[in-house]
């Protein structure tokens, strides 16, 4: 009784602490929230270069302003992201404006003119950083400088209607503190001589010289926060804005990283060809710059004891792949980038093309989370009630095949935010058990989405970590030897990074481990995951079955993504019939609950012995199966 009382008392204290924190946040943030609607930029005619430039300039300036203004408190909110007719930013705003919610009762002030908004917050900024329209990389350098120096990012454009003319040459006349172009508009970075303001020889690439200028002036002196990096397309986007969704300039993603004083880059991960956006550069120049940035971050992050959190994704529709005249396909480019950053103890929050745009993360980062979001594991008694074990605890599953769906892909804050109203809020959610696979590190940028899903989960919704834990990296690249970086083993640091996230979110399973072209997990790698993911992992490069200590290990199998549920069910049946074990994992990408319900209904009709179960049941039964089957536990079972 005493232990139960203590547990209850502890829970009440945690709850009280949460509500006190919420009350303090409200009291602290009693100034009105400024609101600004960027929707007009989506309605511009993107076939006209002037409209494209205007959209870019307005969004970039606002994102840089927002990152500075929201650094210490949530003060500026914008409306921009639209998905399938849903206004995502309004969706989240209205949800948390409801009585009892975080933003209820907060006063607001609406701005309809960007220049007026900049003027209103002129005391929060120290000036502007002006960048070069002829050297695309300077737009990313400007975002990085903006965060460090508290400046707004403005593209040089002396035409009378430009934002530069409206806020630098007239209007509020914001002073220019940093020029990334010459004041007369000539390029500062030319790829010749020495990099401006340094004794460092030019790389021969204007693009890389801009980033190396930032390295010399900001990264090496320790002026920026190397715990955060940002990989987003530079202003070259303006040459092909319709390559994918109009919001995939991803400028609205910058605000969070500006608030964190992060470093920014847009560099090719390939060392076997020049970057497609600068084909005249020496092969591998981009990669050299990227590695230099990552190594400096590693050193400044206590020699990798802190991991570098990198937002963004290779802009494959625009650069560095066959889409842009390169030699490499999209997924290999994703994997090569992952392989490289992993070698330097960095991971990505993968804002990939499709749902890659995110707004207001600098605002939502202040959302107060609870200390713990616990989940229950299944016990022997519950398995007995389901008829899966006998009174002695032995399995009674003869003739049955158990399946689990990896409900993904939620390794990106942008994807989690945008899909909540269409997938999570679907009325069929809860009809069948689903293993929602979400990276817990997304709580940094979209904590409100993480909390909302936990608060509204049904008994059939269970949460596990997405690839590859608390952030997307390739853990095989943390294992020695590490030929790309030559750095020491990073596995112990990975444990320390993951454990707090897994504890807070009640996680004990890592639903998928993408190995890509990296080495698979060795014994030390498996030991690492056993320390924070004891109830199961699903890697790519592993024997079909394995029991590592007490941790069940199952090799990842097929992606099942047919739009037709009947076709999906048929492929599952065919695959199950070819596997020599009764446990089957399938990955699905952005499928809604109705799709899963129809797939399960079709399976039940065609083969009732194929059973979808919840994640605790699946992995606990699989663990017991391994313990009862030595060959399976030792990884000696092979596919037919």
């Amino acid at each position: 009784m005493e232990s139960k009382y203590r547990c209850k008392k502890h829970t009440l204290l945690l709850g009280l602490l949460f509500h006190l924190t919420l009350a303090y946040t409200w009291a602290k943030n009693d100034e009105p929230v400024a609101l600004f609607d960027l929707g007009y930029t989506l309605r511009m005619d993107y076939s006209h270069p002037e409209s494209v430039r205007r959209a870019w300039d307005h969004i970039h300036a606002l994102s840089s302003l927002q990152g500075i203004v929201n650094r210490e408190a949530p003060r500026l909110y914008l409306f921009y992201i639209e998905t399938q007719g849903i206004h995502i930013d309004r969706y989240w705003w209205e949800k948390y404006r409801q009585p009892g919610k975080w933003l209820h009762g907060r006063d607001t002030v609406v701005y309809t003119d960007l220049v007026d908004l900049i003027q209103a917050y002129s005391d929060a900024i120290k000036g502007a950083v002006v960048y070069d329209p002829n050297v695309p990389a300077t737009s990313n350098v400007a975002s990085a400088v903006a965060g460090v120096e508290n400046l707004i990012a403005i593209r040089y454009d002396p035409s009378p209607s430009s934002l530069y003319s409206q806020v630098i040459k007239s209007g509020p006349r914001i002073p220019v503190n940093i020029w990334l172009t010459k004041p007369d508009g000539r390029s500062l970075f030319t790829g010749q001589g020495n990099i401006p303001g340094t004794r460092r020889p030019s790389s021969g690439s204007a693009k890389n010289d801009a980033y190396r200028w930032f390295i010399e002036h900001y990264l090496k002196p320790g002026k920026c926060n190397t715990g955060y990096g940002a990989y987003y397309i530079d202003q070259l986007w303006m040459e092909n804005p319709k390559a994918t969704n109009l919001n995939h300039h991803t400028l609205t993603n910058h605000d969070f990283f500006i608030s964190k004083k992060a470093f920014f880059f847009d560099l090719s991960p390939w060392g076997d060809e020049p970057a497609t956006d600068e084909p005249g550069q020496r092969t591998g120049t981009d990669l050299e710059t990227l590695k230099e940035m990552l190594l400096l971050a590693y050193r400044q992050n206590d020699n990798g004891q802190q991991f570098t959190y990198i937002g963004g994704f290779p802009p494959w529709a625009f650069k560095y792949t066959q889409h842009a005249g390169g030699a490499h396909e999209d997924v290999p480019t994703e994997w090569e980038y992952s392989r490289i950053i992993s070698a330097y103890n960095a991971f990505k929050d993968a804002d990939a093309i499709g749902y890659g745009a995110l707004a207001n993360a600098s605002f939502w980062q202040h959302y107060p989370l609870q200390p713990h979001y616990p989940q229950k594991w299944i016990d022997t008694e519950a398995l007995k009630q389901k008829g899966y074990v006998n009174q002695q605890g032995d399995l009674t599953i003869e003739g049955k095949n158990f399946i689990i769906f990896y409900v993904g892909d939620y390794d990106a804050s942008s994807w989690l935010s945008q899909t909540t109203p269409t997938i999570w809020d679907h009325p069929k959610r809860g009809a069948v058990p689903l293993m929602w696979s979400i990276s817990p590190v997304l709580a940094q940028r979209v904590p409100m989405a993480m909390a909302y899903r936990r608060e509204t989960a049904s008994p059939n919704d269970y949460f596990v970590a997405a690839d590859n834990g608390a952030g997307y990296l390739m853990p095989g690249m943390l294992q020695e030897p590490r030929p790309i970086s030559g750095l020491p083993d990073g596995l112990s640091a990975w444990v320390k990074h993951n454990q707090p996230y897994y504890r807070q979110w009640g996680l004990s399973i890592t639903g998928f481990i993408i190995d890509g072209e990296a080495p698979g997990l060795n014994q030390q790698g498996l030991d690492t995951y056993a320390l924070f993911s004891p109830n199961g992992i699903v890697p790519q490069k592993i024997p079909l079955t394995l029991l590592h200590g007490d941790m069940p290990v199952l090799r990842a199998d097929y992606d099942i993504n047919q739009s037709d549920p009947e076709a999906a069910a048929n492929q599952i049946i065919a695959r199950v019939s070819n596997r020599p074990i009764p446990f089957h994992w399938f990955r699905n990408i952005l499928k809604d609950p109705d799709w899963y319900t129809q797939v399960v209904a079709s399976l039940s009709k065609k083969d009732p012995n194929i059973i979808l179960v919840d994640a605790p049941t699946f992995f606990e039964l699989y663990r017991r199966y391994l313990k009862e089957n030595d060959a399976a536990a030792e990884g000696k079972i092979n596919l037919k």
Side-chain angles (χ1 to χ4, degrees):
M1 291 296 294
E2 183 181 358
S3 62
K4 290 183 179 179
Y5 170 75
R6 287 179 178 173
C7 181
K8 184 176 181 181
K9 184 178 179 181
H10 180 64
T11 302
L12 289 171
L13 286 173
L14 288 176
L16 178 61
L17 178 63
F18 170 71
H19 288 292
L20 286 173
T21 301
L22 191 61
Y24 172 75
T25 302
W26 283 336
K28 182 181 178 182
N29 300 326
D30 56 358
E31 71 171 286
V33 175
L35 303 178
F36 190 84
D37 191 343
L38 270 173
Y40 65 91
T41 64
L42 294 171
R43 295 185 288 274
M44 293 178 178
D45 185 352
Y46 278 59
S47 62
H48 292 139
E50 288 183 8
S51 296
V52 174
R53 289 193 293 268
R54 182 168 182 262
W56 173 277
D57 290 349
H58 282 220
I59 299 168
H60 196 189
L62 179 55
S63 295
S64 59
L65 178 67
Q66 189 183 33
I68 297 164
V69 168
N70 287 341
R71 179 172 288 144
E72 301 299 332
R75 303 165 62 197
L76 173 56
Y77 194 89
L78 61 88
F79 301 108
Y80 179 66
I81 309 297
E82 298 179 13
T83 300
Q84 299 178 36
I86 298 171
H87 296 268
I88 298 298
D89 303 305
R90 292 190 184 278
Y91 167 88
W92 288 114
W93 175 262
E94 291 168 1
K95 188 172 295 297
Y96 284 97
R97 289 286 282 175
Q98 296 174 11
K101 296 299 183 180
W102 184 48
L103 298 172
H104 181 66
R106 284 288 299 275
D107 287 338
T108 61
V109 55
V110 177
Y111 289 88
T112 58
D113 181 82
L114 181 57
V115 176
D116 290 343
L117 180 62
I118 292 171
Q119 180 71 64
Y121 285 104
S122 58
D123 290 344
I125 58 176
K126 295 180 179 179
V129 50
V130 173
Y131 59 93
D132 186 350
N134 298 311
V135 181
T138 59
S139 65
N140 266 339
V141 175
S143 285
V145 170
V148 176
E149 303 284 5
N150 289 348
L151 309 174
I152 57 169
I154 303 290
R155 185 182 62 88
Y156 180 85
D157 181 354
S159 62
S161 61
S162 72
L163 189 63
Y164 173 85
S165 294
Q166 291 174 335
V167 300
I168 303 296
K169 292 298 185 181
S170 62
R173 294 189 179 273
I174 303 295
V176 179
N177 294 45
I178 303 290
W179 289 94
L180 298 178
T181 183
K182 293 182 179 180
D184 62 2
R186 290 179 297 141
S187 291
L188 184 65
F189 303 103
T190 62
Q192 298 176 352
N194 285 345
I195 294 172
T198 78
R199 295 181 179 179
R200 182 170 180 168
S202 170
S203 64
S205 154
K207 172 187 180 181
N208 282 272
D209 282 0
Y211 287 118
R212 294 182 188 191
W213 175 91
F214 181 81
I215 287 172
E216 296 298 323
H217 288 277
Y218 288 91
L219 266 176
K220 285 184 177 179
K223 292 182 179 179
C224 70
N225 177 6
T226 50
Y228 293 89
Y231 184 10
Y232 295 107
I233 189 169
D234 59 30
Q235 59 187 312
L236 194 73
W237 171 86
M238 288 189 278
E239 293 187 4
N240 190 19
K242 296 182 180 180
T244 180
N245 301 340
L246 291 179
N247 58 26
H248 273 49
H249 45 71
T250 53
L251 287 168
T252 54
N253 301 52
H254 287 214
D255 67 307
F256 173 86
F257 296 98
I258 289 171
S259 81
K260 296 295 187 182
K261 303 184 179 182
F263 62 98
F264 282 71
F265 61 91
D266 173 4
L267 295 162
S268 172
W270 293 110
D272 60 356
E273 64 176 352
T276 61
D277 58 342
E278 196 181 48
Q281 72 171 228
R282 177 175 50 82
T283 298
T285 304
D286 268 30
L287 181 56
E288 291 171 3
T289 303
L290 176 58
K291 287 182 176 181
E292 184 176 358
M293 285 181 153
L294 293 171
L295 182 58
L296 283 166
Y298 176 93
R299 296 297 186 203
Q300 293 181 25
N301 293 342
D302 193 16
N303 287 323
Q305 291 304 302
Q306 176 188 354
F307 277 74
T308 303
Y309 178 135
I310 302 177
F313 203 80
W316 54 261
F318 302 91
K319 300 184 180 187
Y320 314 139
T321 67
Q322 292 177 356
H323 293 277
H328 301 282
E329 295 181 355
D330 308 344
V331 172
T333 302
E334 168 194 343
W335 285 359
E336 182 66 6
Y337 169 64
S338 300
R339 198 172 70 93
I340 291 163
I341 65 172
S342 304
Y344 295 90
N345 291 23
F347 63 83
K348 62 186 170 188
D349 180 344
D351 295 335
I353 286 173
Y355 292 88
L358 178 70
N360 298 303
S362 65
F363 184 95
W364 291 111
Q365 69 178 318
H366 300 288
Y367 179 83
L369 291 169
Q370 295 185 27
H372 299 290
Y373 294 85
Q375 297 190 103
K376 292 182 179 180
W377 195 251
I378 197 165
D379 58 20
T380 300
E381 188 58 36
L383 292 176
K384 287 179 182 178
Q385 293 176 7
K386 293 183 178 186
Y388 295 147
V389 301
N390 59 24
Q391 289 302 312
Q392 291 72 42
D394 300 323
L395 292 177
T396 56
I397 60 172
E398 188 69 29
K400 295 182 175 64
N401 278 287
F402 298 98
I403 64 171
I404 192 78
F405 290 126
Y406 176 87
V407 181
D409 277 351
Y410 301 110
D411 55 6
S413 294
S414 59
W415 286 43
L416 189 72
S417 174
Q418 287 199 45
T419 60
T420 299
T422 54
I423 294 180
W424 179 259
D425 286 349
H426 196 286
K428 287 291 184 69
R429 180 174 55 79
V432 297
L434 294 178
M435 183 178 76
W436 296 91
S437 304
I438 302 171
S439 173
V441 82
L442 308 189
Q444 290 216 30
R445 289 203 290 160
V446 288
M448 76 297 182
M450 298 280 287
Y452 172 67
R453 292 193 179 211
R454 289 305 182 93
E455 292 163 1
T456 58
S458 76
N460 266 335
D461 297 316
Y462 192 85
F463 299 90
V464 304
D467 54 289
N468 287 333
Y472 177 3
L473 56 62
M474 292 179 171
M477 298 303 294
L478 301 176
Q479 302 166 168
E480 290 184 307
R482 305 175 78 181
I484 288 178
S485 63
L487 295 172
D489 184 280
L491 292 172
S492 62
W494 187 235
V495 173
K496 293 176 184 177
H497 168 76
N498 277 274
Q499 283 177 330
Y501 285 105
Y502 277 61
R503 280 196 298 268
Q504 181 177 18
W505 294 98
L507 305 173
S508 61
I509 297 168
T510 304
F512 188 24
I513 294 177
I514 299 176
D515 294 313
E517 296 301 326
L521 292 172
N522 59 22
Q523 290 300 304
Q524 291 74 31
L526 291 168
D527 290 344
T528 294
Y529 274 87
L531 291 173
F532 59 83
S533 187
N535 284 326
I537 61 173
V538 186
Q540 291 178 313
K541 294 181 177 179
I542 206 76
L544 178 63
T545 61
L546 186 69
L547 184 65
H548 186 78
D550 200 47
M551 179 180 69
V553 182
L554 180 66
R555 189 169 71 210
D557 204 62
Y558 278 13
D559 286 5
I560 303 291
N561 287 311
Q562 294 89 338
S563 57
D564 178 14
E566 192 83 5
N570 290 337
Q571 186 175 14
I572 291 170
I573 292 169
R575 186 58 179 165
V576 166
S577 68
N578 286 324
R579 287 169 55 88
I581 60 172
F583 295 91
H584 315 275
W585 173 101
F586 300 106
R587 175 186 177 219
N588 323 107
I589 302 174
L590 299 182
K591 296 300 184 184
D592 65 40
D594 185 50
W595 182 87
Y596 289 103
T597 302
Q598 292 186 57
V599 170
V600 170
S602 181
L603 288 172
S604 297
K605 292 178 182 178
K606 296 178 178 183
D607 188 344
N609 285 319
I610 297 179
I611 305 168
L612 174 66
V613 292
D614 59 84
T617 299
F618 181 90
F619 281 95
E620 185 59 36
L621 288 177
Y622 178 52
R623 179 175 10 230
R624 293 174 184 234
Y625 168 82
L626 294 171
K627 290 181 177 180
E628 293 182 12
N629 293 269
D630 290 344
E634 296 169 5
K636 295 179 180 179
I637 294 181
N638 298 309
L639 286 171
K640 297 176 183 177

